[in-house]
Amino acid sequence: MADRTYSFSTRIRNVDGGAINDILKASADPSIISLAGGNPASELFPGRELAEIASDLLTNQPALTLQYSVAQGYAPLREAVLKMIAERDDIIPRGDDIIITSGSQQGMDFAAKCLLNEGDKVLVENPSFLGALGCFMGYGAQLVGVDMESDGISVEGLQKALEENDGVKLLYTIPNFQNPTGITMSTEKRREVYRLCAEHGVLIIEDNPYGELTFTGEKKPSLKSMDTEGIVIYCGSFSKILAPGIRVGYIVAPAQIVKHMAEAKQANDTHSPMITQLMVYEYLKRHDIGENIQRMRNLYRRKCKLMTDEADAFFPTSVTHTNPGGGLFVWCDMGGDYDTIQVYNECIRHKVAFVPGAPFMADPSKRCSAFRLNYSTMPDEKITAGMRTLGSALKQIMG
Amino acid sequence: MADRTYSFSTRIRNVDGGAINDILKASADPSIISLAGGNPASELFPGRELAEIASDLLTNQPALTLQYSVAQGYAPLREAVLKMIAERDDIIPRGDDIIITSGSQQGMDFAAKCLLNEGDKVLVENPSFLGALGCFMGYGAQLVGVDMESDGISVEGLQKALEENDGVKLLYTIPNFQNPTGITMSTEKRREVYRLCAEHGVLIIEDNPYGELTFTGEKKPSLKSMDTEGIVIYCGSFSKILAPGIRVGYIVAPAQIVKHMAEAKQANDTHSPMITQLMVYEYLKRHDIGENIQRMRNLYRRKCKLMTDEADAFFPTSVTHTNPGGGLFVWCDMGGDYDTIQVYNECIRHKVAFVPGAPFMADPSKRCSAFRLNYSTMPDEKITAGMRTLGSALKQIMG
C-alpha cells in the first residue's frame, strides 16, 4: 500500500520544500547553533499577560471565545488594527477593507489564490522570502526575479521586467528590513516602484512583518499610504511584535479583493480561532504594545551589532554583509563563483547552521555565493561561537 | 478607486457564497429564531476547564505556546488523536500519517489543493455539506451529485456516476449523521462504496465531524477502517465534541498525501496556533472528553425529538422529514414541484430562518422542495415557536 502512486495536482507538484526543510529540520536539533531560523526571541513573549487575558476570556465569555465566528475576523479587532496602522503607517482606508488571517502568510496565500491563474507572472525581489515564493508557486505562478540593491529593489530592473514580461499580475515586496537581506527600500524608490506598478496595472503585495522592528525609530512611508489607485495589498502581522505561535495577521486591500479573500478563508479554515483573535484584541486594549516593541528593538539592535561585529572580525575581508536598520536578518556574500552550500556542509559538521542563499532566489537552481544569518533566536554566546565557526569555514574555503 | 475592476483567478470566480451567506447573515440577527445555522450548543463548552489549561500553558510554557512550530502539527497531539480514533473508529495507520489542521474544513481544502486539477470531477452526495462543495469548486473541480437514500448514498447512482464520468478523482461522503440530511450510511453500503471506489481508483474523503454525536451509542464501521488500498482520506474534528471556535481538526491519510498537505499548510498558515493545539492536547490528558460527548448526545437527542415531534404535529402530513440517529440536522421535503425559497421568504417575514435545500445540491440552480433544520443552537421554546411558524408557512403555501 505504501507503494501506491497518487496523482497530485500540477500546482502542488511545482512546490519543492525539500532542501530548505532539511536545513530547518537540522537546525531544530538543540545541539546545533542555529543562525538559520527566523524565530523572534521567545524571552520577550508576554506570557503572563496573555495567560491572564486567556483565562478571563474563557471564564467570562466562553460562548464568544469558543463558538463559530465570521471569516473576515472579529470586528472589534479589525477596527483596532485599522486604527493602529493609521497611526503607524499612515494607512487610511480608501475603498479598502481588512481581513484577519492566520498570520500574514495566510493572507498572501489567499491573495494568490484569488488573483493568480496558472502561468501568471509574479515579480519578486531577488532574493526574497521563501514562504511567499512557495505560496505563489503553489498556485502555478511563474516567478520573475528583480535584483536587490543596497537601497531596495532595482528600479531599472523592475522597469525592464515590467516591459519584457507579458501577464505580470503582481509585485511582491518587503520594503522594510527585508527577509533575507535586511535591506530597506528608500523613500524615492518607494515612489518610483508605486508609480511603475500603477502605470503597468500591476498589483503590489506589500509585506510588512518587520517594519516596527526599527533600530533607530526611523520609518519610511508605506506603499499603501501612496495607494490612490487601489493597487496595494498590505500584509501585516502580530508574529514579530507579539508572538508568532498565535498566528494572527491581517490584510488591508481593496474591498473587492478582501471579499474574495474572505470566501477563500471561509472555504479553508472558516475563520481564525476566536481565542487568538481575542487575545490580540484584549492585549492591545489592556497593554501598551509599544513597550513590548521597544524591548524587541533594543534586544535585536544589540544582537545585530554583535553579529556584524563578529563578521567584521572573523570573516575574510572580501565577504560583504548588509548592515540592517531593523528586522531579524543579515545577508552575507562571498562574491565570485563560490557556492554557499559548500560552506553550509562544512559548518554543519561543526554543528553550526545558517541558510545558503539559493532557495531565496527566483531561480533556486543557480549556484549562489550569498547566505542568510539570523540574530534574534540564539543567545549571545552562541552567536559568537557560531560566527567564529562560520568565519573559519569561510577562510578555509576561500583559501 | 472603488470602481476599479480587478482580474480575479478563474478558480475563485467559480465560488459563489452569495445566497447562503445572506441567509446565514440574516440568521445572525438575535431577533430571528434561527434554525439555519450549525453551531453546537455553546452552553456545553468547557470554558472553565479550558481557562485553567490556557492559563497554565501561557504561564508555565510561554515559549512552547507562543513560538513558531511545525506545519504538520504538535507531535504529542498527533499521537493522542491517533490513539483516540484507533479506539473509536478502528483506524489503525497502515502507511497513513496524520496532520493537524484548523478545523477539518481546512484539511479538505488542502486535500483538494493537492489532488484536484481544473475540470477534475468530484462525486458528492446530493445534497451535501456546502463548505465542502465550495472548497472543491474553489480549485476548479466539477461536482457530480449522487442521490441520497434513507440509508445513505445510492450505490446504483454511485456505480453509474463512476461508469459514466471520466476524470473522477474523489468521492466526498459524510457517512454518519450527514449534513444536511442527518442520514447514516448502512454498513453494507459502506462496504459497497469502498469496493466500488477501490475498483475505479477513486479516492474517498470520509468526513466524520458528527460520528461521536450518536443518540443510541450505535456506531458503524468507518470507511477508513476498511482501507486496505490506501484510498481513504479521513477527516475528523474537535469542533463538535469540544468547541468549534478553537478550529482544531485533523486528517489521517496515506503518508504521501499528508506530506503534500503539510506543504500546502506551510504555504498557507505555517501551522495551526500552538495555544489551540495545546489546549486540545491538555484537555484530552486532563479530562474525560467522553463525559462531555455524553452530555452533548443527551442534549441533542432531546432537542432532535422536540423538533421532529413538532414537525409531526404542525407540518402538513405530506411533508416528510428524516429521523436522525445523531448529529445536528433534520432534512424535510415538501415533495412535488415546490420551491422552499418561497417558504423561506414567508418565514423570514415572521423572523424564523432555516436553509432552503438548493445550495446543498451539486446543481444549486435547480429548484428544490427540501430544506434543512438545525436543533442544536436554539433554546427549546424557540425551536417550538419556530417550528409552528414554519408549519403555518408550509400549510399556507401547500394550501
Side-chain angles (χ1 to χ4, degrees), chain A residues 120-334:
Chain A
D120 279 352
K121 285 174 188 155
V122 176
L123 306 184
V124 296
E125 293 167 334
N126 208 25
S128 184
F129 169 49
L130 265 171
L133 306 188
C135 141
F136 302 136
M137 286 192 294
Y139 293 99
Q142 279 180 44
L143 305 180
V144 179
V146 180
D147 284 346
M148 281 293 275
E149 297 168 342
S150 62
D151 59 349
I153 193 169
S154 159
V155 169
E156 293 70 36
L158 175 61
Q159 183 148 21
K160 197 157 163 264
L162 287 166
E163 282 162 8
E164 288 179 357
N165 287 283
D166 288 329
V168 175
K169 201 70 168 279
L170 287 172
L171 166 69
Y172 172 71
T173 175
I174 308 169
N176 297 316
F177 321 125
Q178 197 235 20
N179 180 358
T181 63
I183 287 171
T184 291
M185 199 191 297
S186 69
T187 302
E188 302 71 49
K189 280 200 169 175
R190 290 173 194 235
R191 299 202 194 286
E192 273 303 285
V193 164
Y194 181 80
R195 193 188 59 73
L196 280 170
C197 287
E199 188 182 308
H200 286 82
V202 165
L203 300 177
I204 298 171
I205 295 187
E206 177 178 27
D207 192 11
N208 189 24
Y210 314 112
E212 284 285 69
L213 303 179
T214 165
F215 298 158
T216 61
E218 201 205 330
K219 279 184 194 177
K220 301 197 188 303
S222 64
L223 292 157
K224 187 69 190 163
S225 70
M226 308 170 183
D227 191 20
T228 50
E229 302 291 319
I231 59 169
V232 179
I233 297 166
Y234 178 90
C235 310
S237 171
F238 288 93
S239 291
K240 305 303 188 298
I241 61 175
L242 191 60
I246 52 170
R247 314 301 307 122
V248 179
Y250 50 90
I251 306 290
V252 177
Q256 293 175 62
I257 295 175
V258 167
K259 179 180 162 286
H260 281 301
M261 287 178 63
E263 289 163 2
K265 187 158 173 73
Q266 179 81 40
N268 180 275
D269 62 9
T270 321
H271 60 85
S272 289
M274 282 303 284
I275 175 102
T276 54
Q277 295 188 66
L278 286 163
M279 279 164 66
V280 171
Y281 175 69
E282 290 293 327
Y283 188 87
L284 291 175
K285 215 165 71 173
R286 299 186 195 185
H287 300 279
D288 179 1
I289 198 169
E291 282 178 16
N292 218 35
I293 293 168
Q294 195 53 54
R295 276 191 293 273
M296 290 179 184
R297 289 176 181 166
N298 295 343
L299 181 70
Y300 297 155
R301 184 196 303 113
R302 193 175 59 64
K303 280 177 177 283
C304 180
K305 182 162 188 313
L306 173 66
M307 179 171 269
T308 52
D309 284 352
E310 294 288 319
D312 292 337
F314 294 97
F315 284 9
T317 49
S318 62
V319 177
T320 62
H321 65 78
T322 54
N323 283 299
L328 305 179
F329 304 107
V330 176
W331 183 248
C332 305
D333 199 336
M334 299 166 76

Side-chain angles (χ1 to χ4, degrees), chain A residues 1 4 6 9 11 40 66-68 94 105-106 109 113-114 116 230 240 245 247 256 267-269, chain B residues 1 4 6 9 11 40 66-68 94 105-106 109 113-114 116 230 240 245 247 256 267-269:
Chain A
M1 163 175 153
R4 189 182 185 100
Y6 299 91
S9 64
R11 74 178 78 80
L66 294 169
Q67 190 53 280
Y68 279 119
R94 299 177 274 210
Q105 173 78 36
Q106 192 185 47
D109 193 73
K113 183 176 183 185
C114 293
L116 297 175
K240 305 303 188 298
R247 314 301 307 122
Q256 293 175 62
N268 180 275
D269 62 9
Chain B
M1 162 177 154
R4 190 183 184 97
Y6 300 90
S9 63
R11 75 178 77 79
L66 294 168
Q67 190 54 277
Y68 280 119
R94 295 177 277 209
Q105 174 78 35
Q106 191 184 46
D109 192 74
K113 182 175 184 186
C114 294
L116 297 175
K240 305 303 187 298
R247 314 302 307 123
Q256 294 174 62
N268 180 275
D269 63 7

Side-chain angles (χ1 to χ4, degrees), chain B residues 202-380:
Chain B
V202 165
L203 300 177
I204 298 171
I205 296 188
E206 177 178 26
D207 192 10
N208 189 24
Y210 314 112
E212 283 285 70
L213 303 180
T214 164
F215 297 159
T216 60
E218 201 206 333
K219 280 185 195 176
K220 301 198 187 301
S222 63
L223 292 157
K224 188 68 190 164
S225 71
M226 308 170 183
D227 191 20
T228 49
E229 302 292 319
I231 59 169
V232 179
I233 297 167
Y234 177 90
C235 310
S237 171
F238 288 93
S239 291
K240 305 303 187 298
I241 59 173
L242 192 59
I246 52 170
R247 314 302 307 123
V248 178
Y250 50 90
I251 306 289
V252 177
Q256 294 174 62
I257 295 176
V258 168
K259 179 180 162 287
H260 282 300
M261 288 179 62
E263 289 163 3
K265 186 158 174 72
Q266 179 81 39
N268 180 275
D269 63 7
T270 321
H271 60 85
S272 290
M274 281 303 283
I275 175 103
T276 53
Q277 295 188 66
L278 286 163
M279 278 164 66
V280 172
Y281 175 69
E282 289 293 327
Y283 188 88
L284 291 176
K285 216 166 70 174
R286 298 186 197 185
H287 300 279
D288 179 1
I289 198 169
E291 284 178 16
N292 217 37
I293 293 168
Q294 195 53 53
R295 276 191 293 272
M296 292 180 183
R297 288 176 183 167
N298 295 342
L299 181 70
Y300 297 154
R301 184 195 305 113
R302 193 177 57 67
K303 279 178 178 283
C304 179
K305 182 165 189 309
L306 173 65
M307 178 170 270
T308 52
D309 283 353
E310 293 289 318
D312 292 338
F314 295 96
F315 284 9
T317 49
S318 62
V319 177
T320 62
H321 65 79
T322 54
N323 282 299
L328 306 179
F329 305 107
V330 176
W331 183 249
C332 305
D333 199 335
M334 299 166 76
D337 202 31
Y338 291 109
D339 186 341
T340 44
I341 287 284
Q342 250 193 295
V343 188
Y344 176 80
N345 289 337
E346 178 59 22
C347 282
I348 201 73
R349 291 202 310 121
H350 296 95
K351 296 201 168 273
V352 172
F354 62 87
V355 191
F360 299 104
M361 297 295 180
D363 178 1
S365 67
K366 276 200 205 148
R367 73 157 57 196
C368 179
S369 63
F371 55 95
R372 187 189 79 174
L373 300 177
N374 163 270
Y375 47 80
S376 58
T377 313
M378 288 286 121
D380 292 4

